[in-house]
Amino acid sequence: MPDDMPQTAPPASAAALPDYAVEVHGLDKRYAAAGRGKPAHALMEIDLAIPRGSLFGLLGPNGAGKSTLINILAGLVNKSGGTAAIWGFDIDRQTRQSRAAIGVVPQELNIDPFFTPRELLELQAGLYGVPPRERRSDEILTALGLADKAEAYARTLSGGMRRRLMVAKAMVHNPPVLVLDEPTAGVDIELRQQLWEHVRELNRLGTTVLLTTHYLEEAEELCDRIAIINHGKVIACDTTEALLQRLDSKSLTMVLGQDLDAVPDSLQRFHVELVDRRRLVFRFRPSEGPVPEFLAALNQLGLAVQDITTEETDLEDLFLQLTRGAHDAPRGDNGH
């Protein structure tokens, strides 16, 4: 990442920096019935606080309300109730300031194919009222690895480059909060990793990043805090580490040197499963520390162990556990 990555422009004094980049309290959204359809309650009194400088993940199944929440923050959807503030600016009372404080990268690619990347950034900067002398289109293109494509028509760019160009468009007004809505959908692994390198660098330089993704391993690796939303409600919000600790589940799989017909009596109390004649699976809670006792019991039996593998629960396990039964309820929005 070049050293000239655009810096987030904070308020004039350190004292003016807000503790939370985004705050919503009692945020509610109801959609009236359309035609013969039923009314939809997309968000139900959401409370959410995103710390300044964090890389925050917002997860949830399709129809959970994620896109509705993002669109309210971006000023694209009117809320039905509650309050929301971006970088300390209320989205109703300080509309201009709040919208200047956020940049949104939508899931859909909305790039005019007959414009060049430089032209697109200059146009976007003009829409945000950035004076020509303060625009940094070339700087942003360089930071996102698009400098050599500055004069190429957007239609000639690869999928990964177009995604990066979407991020560049969201940065033209130098917002302290960047929202990425499924930014790697349809992007191959290599380009996905490149994009995340850019996002990490932006975050390192002070930009608060709000990410929605269906790639749960990405959220687990990237985000320091995660909220899970389901049926329009926040059902979990904590540090990534704390959320994973909720599961407190791990397994040991041992390949033995001899065949077994059944689990030995002395191992029954460990609730071990014999999945084939030579493979034992021991599932346990790390917080209870039963592994030494189990291995001692195994050793007393004189069973030779040829191989041991471990498996820990991950964010996907927690996600499925918390959102189980999501298909039984009506969807809150059309996007996610």
Side-chain angles (χ1 to χ4, degrees):
M1 173 66 63
D3 293 332
D4 59 351
M5 169 66 80
Q7 299 278 345
T8 296
S13 66
L17 289 171
D19 292 331
Y20 296 102
V22 175
E23 282 188 278
V24 298
H25 297 288
L27 195 64
D28 198 86
K29 178 59 183 178
R30 297 174 183 268
Y31 289 101
R36 296 184 179 179
K38 297 180 179 179
H41 201 172
L43 297 178
M44 303 180 190
E45 299 186 352
I46 294 284
D47 291 326
L48 196 63
I50 300 177
R52 170 172 48 86
S54 64
L55 210 166
F56 193 96
L58 182 63
L59 309 181
N62 288 339
K66 302 191 301 296
S67 284
T68 297
L69 175 57
I70 288 173
N71 287 335
I72 289 174
L73 295 177
L76 301 175
V77 170
N78 293 324
K79 58 184 174 62
S80 302
T83 63
I86 302 168
W87 209 247
F89 299 115
D90 185 273
I91 64 171
D92 292 326
R93 293 183 289 104
Q94 298 162 298
T95 303
R96 178 184 289 272
Q97 296 96 321
S98 66
R99 292 187 183 179
I102 191 171
V104 179
V105 182
Q107 181 176 350
E108 298 79 16
L109 291 171
N110 54 4
I111 297 173
D112 192 314
F114 298 103
F115 278 71
T116 67
R118 181 181 285 117
E119 289 170 341
L120 285 169
L121 264 58
E122 287 292 308
L123 175 62
Q124 189 79 355
L127 293 174
Y128 272 99
V130 181
R133 65 182 180 279
E134 296 180 13
R135 296 176 191 175
R136 297 178 295 168
S137 299
D138 289 335
E139 183 182 343
I140 294 172
L141 290 173
T142 298
L144 290 169
L146 294 170
D148 60 337
K149 300 293 184 181
E151 297 300 331
Y153 286 120
R155 66 176 182 271
T156 67
L157 301 181
S158 67
M161 289 180 178
R162 293 182 187 186
R163 288 286 175 193
R164 279 182 274 163
L165 182 53
M166 294 288 291
V167 176
K169 285 180 60 181
M171 290 171 53
V172 295
H173 59 299
N174 208 26
V177 181
L178 183 65
V179 178
L180 304 172
D181 190 7
E182 300 284 351
T184 57
V187 176
D188 64 44
I189 294 176
E190 181 178 1
L191 292 174
R192 187 182 304 159
Q193 291 174 344
Q194 291 176 4
L195 180 59
W196 288 139
E197 288 178 9
H198 296 307
V199 170
R200 283 192 182 99
E201 184 66 8
L202 280 169
N203 180 245
R204 186 186 70 80
L205 292 171
T207 301
T208 302
V209 179
L210 170 58
L211 163 72
T212 74
T213 179
H214 278 151
Y215 298 105
L216 299 183
E217 69 278 8
E218 284 186 346
E220 185 174 347
E221 179 182 353
L222 288 166
C223 300
D224 46 62
R225 297 184 68 86
I226 289 174
I228 298 177
I229 187 171
N230 194 31
H231 302 327
K233 298 179 179 179
V234 173
I235 57 175
C237 183
D238 211 329
T239 64
T240 305
E241 181 180 3
L243 285 176
L244 293 175
Q245 287 177 350
R246 286 193 187 187
L247 290 169
D248 192 23
S249 177
K250 196 170 184 178
S251 68
L252 285 178
T253 300
M254 284 142 290
V255 178
L256 305 176
Q258 63 253 54
D259 292 346
L260 293 179
D261 293 324
V263 175
D265 291 340
S266 60
L267 298 182
Q268 292 284 349
R269 61 192 176 95
F270 295 102
H271 306 292
V272 178
E273 180 184 0
L274 185 64
V275 294
D276 60 42
R277 293 173 64 85
R278 290 200 175 199
R279 195 179 306 270
L280 282 173
V281 177
F282 171 42
R283 296 181 176 85
F284 61 97
R285 293 181 179 273
S287 60
E288 297 174 357
V291 175
E293 186 180 354
F294 171 74
L295 293 178
L298 199 66
N299 185 56
Q300 288 178 355
L301 290 171
L303 296 174
V305 178
Q306 294 183 334
D307 186 39
I308 296 180
T309 58
T310 65
E311 181 179 344
E312 295 189 59
T313 51
D314 56 19
L315 186 58
E316 183 172 2
D317 297 309
L318 178 63
F319 179 86
L320 292 174
Q321 184 181 101
L322 292 175
T323 61
R324 192 167 294 142
H327 60 278
D328 296 328
R331 294 185 175 184
D333 65 352
N334 295 324
H336 295 287

